[in-house]
Amino acid sequence: MSFPSCKADACAGLPGIAHRLRCLVLGLLLLLSALCAQAQPDNIDASLDAVRAQIDQARKVLDSPPKEAADLLPLRAGVLAAGTQADAAAALLEPQLASVQARLAELGPVTPGQAEAPDVAVLRTQLNKVRAELDARFKQAKLLSVESEQTAGEISALRRSEFQARLGERTSSILSALFWAELRMDIPGDMLRARRLADALVATARASGTAVWASVGLAMLVLLGLHAWAGMALLRLTTTRVPPGRLRRSLHAWTRVLLPTATAGLTAEAVYLGLVWVAPLPEALAPIMGRLAGVICFGGFVVGLGHALLLPARPSWRLLPLPDVVALKLRWLPPVLALLMVLTWALMQLTAQINASLVTTVAADCIVALAMGLAMGLGLLLSDVARRRALREPESAANWPPSPLWLTTVVGLAWLGTASSLLALLLGYVALGSFVVHQMAWISVVLGSAYLLAVLIDDGFIALLGPKTSPAGAADAILSTAEADMPASRFLKVRAQAAVLLSGVGRLLVVALALMLLLAPFGEGPSELFERADKLHQGISIGEFQILPVSVLQAALVIILCLVVVRIVRRWLKEDFLPTTSLDAGMQVWTSTLFAYAGNLLALSLGLAAVGIGLERIAWVASALSVGIGFGLQAVVQNFVSGIIMLAEKPVKVGDWVSLGGIEGDIRRINVRATEIQMGDRSTVIVPNSEFITKTVRNVTHANPLGLVKILLPVPLDADADQVRSLILELFEAHADVLKTPEPSVQLDAIDSAGMVFNATAFVNSPRAAYGVRSALLFDVLRRLREADISLVKPAGLVLREAQNKALEPPLPPPLA
């Protein structure tokens, strides 16, 4: 909605009634605009007040930080949510502010020295008031958004500092008597509180009744039976329905991962339902038991992941290049690690819930971390022993794969991490040692999951888009078995390229997700990164440009659509339309190529315009690049212009036989920048187009495509000249490649004391055939002269004439296919 213009000078010329009606209409429009602009001030003010309160609360917490760094996570999440709320308020106020400013612009500026109509003055005053209020709220919302980001950054910095300080703490060593003496003093009270929690759990379980627990037990048995049946069914499905190759193995590996995960999660959920079937859990047990199902589900995931990577029972389905003896020796490690991970979480929750003493908490953490470190160390030791034993035996050493550098580095780092964690735990740095060992376990889980997911993505795309006969190396198989100019093979090439591209993008996303999960313990967890990614919808400012994700996606779609259209039209021009015109082959290639360049440039321009970079800015950038073109790209531009001149004037064309600077052959292709010349030995020479414009070029087939066969025949003076002439003409007429028009001729070129020289000439269809026809005619001439008992002589002037003729007529290459 827009106001009609109402300046003071325009209103002054109206009659009184018309002026009053106009001002009345403007007043009503202004009232409606003000009501629309002020329809939500109370909600916006309340929202901004809530944001301010959340930021002030976070500031107070930062002044007196809590003991646990984990307590800062909800506070940071609240601050980031408040910042999002402030951004939403600013986004709501911005169009309202722009609308009021547009209304003021329609009223026009105040004319100095001239009184403004009262009604217009009132309208201007009210609009200025509304604009001031909206502008104040808009600036406040932007300020609160900036403050929320700064506060969230300070909270993250505090979390990292608290985390580093906690890692540096030292307690009494578990090997010292003082540690156990303190534990004996504090353990009775902690055990009493833990017993009370256990009694509450037992009472809750008894309240459910025998029938409920019998149903839970039956459900667990059914789940175990379904687990076994699903495993066999999925194995049969993958072996019969999935084509042979890596996709079959990767799908089987993920079934081995997901089945234990689902079974463990559903079993834990069944137990939880049995506990809460009759009455809700006590307040002390609700936080622990509510999240226990998820933790047990994660433990099942770890067990399934380890079995999927090792596959001790099915070595032919194993994805990792792992020897069978190592897989058999490490099959106990995944269940142990899963149990210790679940136990670590349960102990942390239990000690926090019963408010256990520091000594008890440290002891529980230290014992579980020691067990996990010893399990990892034992797994590394068994693998190393198996490797050394296999290398000592010649038969086993042949089957043992060589260890690449990255694997040796990973194993060395694993040994170092295990040894350092165990040493830190024994010296009393329990937080540091526990963090290292838990981080090693977490890294193993993340890397194993990322490996299986990346393999599944790669195998899936190759199997879906690649050739059916060779899932691995799809692009090489297609390129080696198909001709590039066939439509079917082009489609297969596009499919192979799409498979490789999509596989690379998918694996890149997997790597990014893995890095995000690996950084979680260092203060940049998934929640923080997802919250940052959520702000990307607001766009990224680069100078004066505001790049939005929606605009980038729109630009990508525009570019892809334009490129597809350009490719379709170019193929139609090249294969259907241009062959029906009178253009030669070179001009057809040049037209289709130039259209492709122009279409690609247009697609790029439209894509940039979709992002927000207009064509006028593109022209400005092009003018700036003209300096670089003038210096660095001068040769490219020169060859481009030369190619256009060649295709317009046609001094040479595709199929011509040319000689240029010692290069002689047939022109096979004239590109925009260079020309391809095929030599007599079938090699190809790439010549810049500027060479054809700036240098002397000999075009043998430009004006006349006929080839000349010339024979110089010296005979003695006593020979019959008419007989020799008739003999040569008969040979010309008898040869099938010699043209009747223009007809062959035999001239007496010279007579001296040594003899006579006959100059015989004939024409063939192409200069490329002249060399072979001349050779055949010379064989026939020698045979006929020998039959006629006519010998040959060497006149004195013949050597000079032959040399001159050879200089004017370069040797011809053999005929080309």
Side-chain angles (χ1 to χ4, degrees):
M1 182 178 67
S2 63
F3 285 131
S5 216
C6 181
K7 298 185 180 180
D9 53 355
C11 293
L14 295 175
I17 297 177
H19 172 69
R20 293 180 181 276
L21 288 176
R22 183 176 179 83
C23 291
L24 179 60
V25 172
L26 285 176
L28 291 176
L29 292 176
L30 173 62
L31 180 61
L32 290 175
S33 178
L35 289 175
C36 293
Q38 296 179 350
Q40 299 175 344
D42 296 336
N43 295 335
I44 293 177
D45 289 340
S47 176
L48 295 180
D49 291 341
V51 173
R52 170 59 65 186
Q54 181 67 36
I55 295 176
D56 293 340
Q57 179 185 358
R59 291 291 182 184
K60 293 179 181 179
V61 174
L62 289 175
D63 294 337
S64 57
K67 296 181 179 179
E68 294 293 335
D71 297 337
L72 295 173
L73 282 175
L75 184 65
R76 187 179 186 277
V79 170
L80 289 176
T84 303
Q85 191 175 1
D87 290 334
L92 184 63
L93 289 170
E94 187 174 8
Q96 298 179 6
L97 181 60
S99 177
V100 174
Q101 289 176 346
R103 304 300 180 267
L104 285 171
E106 290 174 355
L107 289 179
V110 179
T111 304
Q114 184 177 356
E116 194 172 26
D119 296 336
V120 177
V122 171
L123 293 177
R124 191 185 303 277
T125 303
Q126 291 179 356
L127 284 176
N128 284 325
K129 180 180 178 181
V130 173
R131 182 183 63 176
E133 293 176 357
L134 292 176
D135 186 63
R137 292 194 186 98
F138 179 75
K139 291 179 179 178
Q140 183 184 7
K142 286 294 186 181
L143 180 61
L144 290 176
S145 176
V146 174
E147 288 186 7
S148 67
E149 292 183 1
Q150 293 176 351
T151 306
E154 293 179 7
I155 294 175
S156 298
L158 180 60
R159 282 184 60 206
R160 286 190 289 269
S161 62
E162 291 290 335
F163 174 74
Q164 295 172 0
R166 187 172 63 86
L167 289 182
E169 293 178 356
R170 183 184 181 187
T171 60
S172 301
S173 173
I174 194 174
L175 302 177
S176 64
L178 179 60
F179 177 84
W180 295 105
E182 293 177 351
L183 183 60
R184 283 193 299 269
M185 292 175 57
D186 295 339
I187 196 64
D190 296 334
M191 291 298 295
L192 179 60
R193 289 188 290 273
R195 192 177 298 111
R196 292 173 183 171
L197 200 63
D199 293 340
L201 180 62
V202 172
T204 304
R206 288 177 179 175
S208 298
T210 307
V212 173
W213 289 112
S215 302
V216 171
L218 181 61
M220 294 172 65
L221 292 177
V222 171
L223 286 174
L224 292 177
L226 288 176
H227 174 81
W229 175 82
M232 293 185 294
L234 289 175
L235 177 61
R236 185 167 54 253
L237 181 64
T238 53
T239 54
T240 56
R241 299 293 183 181
V242 181
R246 288 179 60 92
L247 180 61
R248 175 183 293 180
R249 294 190 294 166
S250 58
L251 285 176
H252 175 69
W254 272 105
T255 57
R256 297 295 298 267
V257 174
L258 298 178
L259 279 178
T261 305
T263 304
L266 292 175
T267 303
E269 190 65 27
V271 174
Y272 178 77
L273 289 177
L275 289 174
V276 300
W277 190 265
V278 175
L281 289 171
E283 186 178 354
L285 287 173
I288 300 177
M289 302 305 297
R291 290 179 297 207
L292 184 60
V295 178
I296 293 178
C297 183
F298 176 74
F301 177 81
V302 174
V303 174
L305 178 65
H307 286 167
L309 291 173
L310 296 176
L311 281 179
R314 291 183 176 273
S316 61
W317 290 62
R318 189 181 304 129
L319 294 173
L320 282 176
L322 199 64
D324 297 342
V325 61
V326 175
L328 290 173
K329 287 183 177 297
L330 297 182
R331 59 185 174 182
W332 57 270
L333 186 58
V336 171
L337 287 180
L339 177 62
L340 291 175
M341 287 182 178
V342 174
L343 186 60
T344 300
W345 179 88
L347 288 177
M348 290 175 57
Q349 298 295 321
L350 180 62
T351 54
Q353 190 64 38
I354 66 175
N355 197 16
S357 62
L358 178 62
V359 178
T360 304
T361 304
V362 171
D365 192 11
C366 183
I367 292 172
V368 176
L370 278 174
M372 190 177 294
L374 290 175
M376 292 181 181
L378 181 59
L380 292 173
L381 181 61
L382 291 176
S383 302
D384 188 65
V385 169
R387 183 182 66 85
R388 294 179 182 274
R389 184 177 300 173
L391 292 179
R392 286 197 298 266
E393 300 175 0
E395 297 180 356
S396 302
N399 298 326
W400 193 277
S403 299
L405 179 61
W406 67 268
L407 182 59
T408 305
T409 305
V410 169
V411 173
L413 291 176
W415 273 113
L416 179 62
T418 303
S420 61
S421 63
L422 293 177
L423 183 62
L425 290 170
L426 295 178
L427 291 178
Y429 294 97
V430 177
L432 177 61
S434 176
F435 171 77
V436 171
V437 72
H438 291 150
Q439 186 63 15
M440 289 177 59
W442 175 246
I443 290 175
S444 303
V445 172
V446 171
L447 292 183
S449 305
Y451 172 76
L452 288 183
L453 188 58
V455 170
L456 179 64
I457 290 174
D458 185 46
D459 297 342
F461 281 120
I462 296 300
L464 290 175
L465 300 177
K468 304 301 182 183
T469 57
S470 178
D476 295 338
I478 291 175
L479 293 177
S480 61
T481 58
E483 294 293 336
D485 56 349
M486 298 175 61
S489 66
R490 284 200 297 266
F491 177 71
L492 293 178
K493 284 176 60 179
V494 171
R495 285 184 55 181
Q497 293 170 0
V500 175
L501 179 61
L502 292 176
S503 174
V505 172
R507 286 182 289 176
L508 183 62
L509 293 177
V510 170
V511 171
L513 179 61
L515 290 176
M516 181 182 67
L517 294 175
L518 292 177
L519 291 175
F522 299 95
E524 290 294 336
S527 59
E528 289 85 352
L529 294 178
F530 280 126
E531 286 165 357
R532 291 184 180 181
D534 184 61
K535 288 183 175 294
L536 290 179
H537 71 277
Q538 302 174 6
I540 301 174
S541 297
I542 303 177
E544 298 180 357
F545 302 111
Q546 185 76 12
I547 300 179
L548 301 175
V550 177
S551 301
V552 174
L553 180 60
Q554 181 180 358
L557 293 177
V558 168
I559 291 176
I560 292 174
L561 180 61
C562 291
L563 291 179
V564 170
V565 172
V566 168
R567 186 167 183 173
I568 294 175
V569 176
R570 181 191 180 188
R571 183 178 301 174
W572 173 78
L573 286 174
K574 183 178 180 181
E575 299 179 359
D576 297 332
F577 178 73
L578 292 178
T580 62
T581 63
S582 59
L583 299 177
D584 56 31
M587 199 66 180
Q588 294 178 17
V589 172
W590 178 81
T591 303
S592 61
T593 303
L594 190 61
F595 173 80
Y597 285 156
N600 295 336
L601 183 61
L602 179 62
L604 180 61
S605 302
L606 293 178
L608 293 177
V611 175
I613 304 176
L615 296 180
E616 67 281 357
R617 290 190 173 94
I618 299 175
W620 179 80
V621 174
S623 62
L625 290 177
S626 61
V627 179
I629 294 176
F631 291 96
L633 302 179
Q634 183 177 4
V636 176
V637 175
Q638 181 182 6
N639 291 322
F640 180 81
V641 175
S642 300
I644 296 177
I645 295 174
M646 288 172 57
L647 292 168
E649 296 184 356
K650 299 181 182 179
V652 294
K653 60 182 182 296
V654 175
D656 283 353
W657 177 23
V658 298
S659 176
L660 171 66
I663 299 172
E664 187 170 350
D666 292 300
I667 295 180
R668 292 305 184 191
R669 185 181 179 89
I670 300 177
N671 297 317
V672 176
R673 189 197 63 85
T675 298
E676 300 177 8
I677 298 177
Q678 185 173 1
M679 305 288 287
D681 58 356
R682 303 301 177 92
S683 62
T684 301
V685 180
I686 310 298
V687 180
N689 290 332
S690 59
E691 297 288 320
F692 290 90
I693 303 300
T694 59
K695 294 186 178 180
T696 302
V697 181
R698 179 172 179 260
N699 191 338
V700 180
T701 58
H702 178 62
N704 189 358
L706 300 181
L708 175 65
V709 178
K710 186 175 183 180
I711 298 175
L712 294 177
L713 190 65
V715 296
L717 285 173
D718 58 354
D720 188 352
D722 294 331
Q723 181 184 4
V724 174
R725 181 175 180 275
S726 301
L727 183 148
I728 297 175
L729 289 175
E730 290 176 1
L731 291 178
F732 281 161
E733 293 177 358
H735 201 285
D737 292 334
V738 175
L739 298 178
K740 300 298 185 291
T741 304
E743 61 182 9
S745 64
V746 178
Q747 306 291 334
L748 186 58
D749 189 61
I751 300 176
D752 54 19
S753 59
M756 301 178 291
V757 178
F758 289 87
N759 187 355
T761 58
F763 293 91
V764 292
N765 286 322
S766 172
R768 301 174 184 85
Y771 186 83
V773 173
R774 182 172 181 271
S775 175
L777 288 173
L778 288 176
F779 278 108
D780 292 339
V781 166
L782 289 176
R783 179 177 54 80
R784 293 292 299 275
L785 290 177
R786 190 176 295 110
E787 292 175 357
D789 197 18
I790 299 175
S791 61
L792 296 177
V793 296
K794 187 69 173 178
L798 184 60
V799 177
L800 179 60
R801 287 198 298 273
E802 287 183 349
Q804 292 175 349
N805 291 333
K806 289 182 180 179
L808 295 175
E809 182 179 351
L812 303 179
L816 298 176

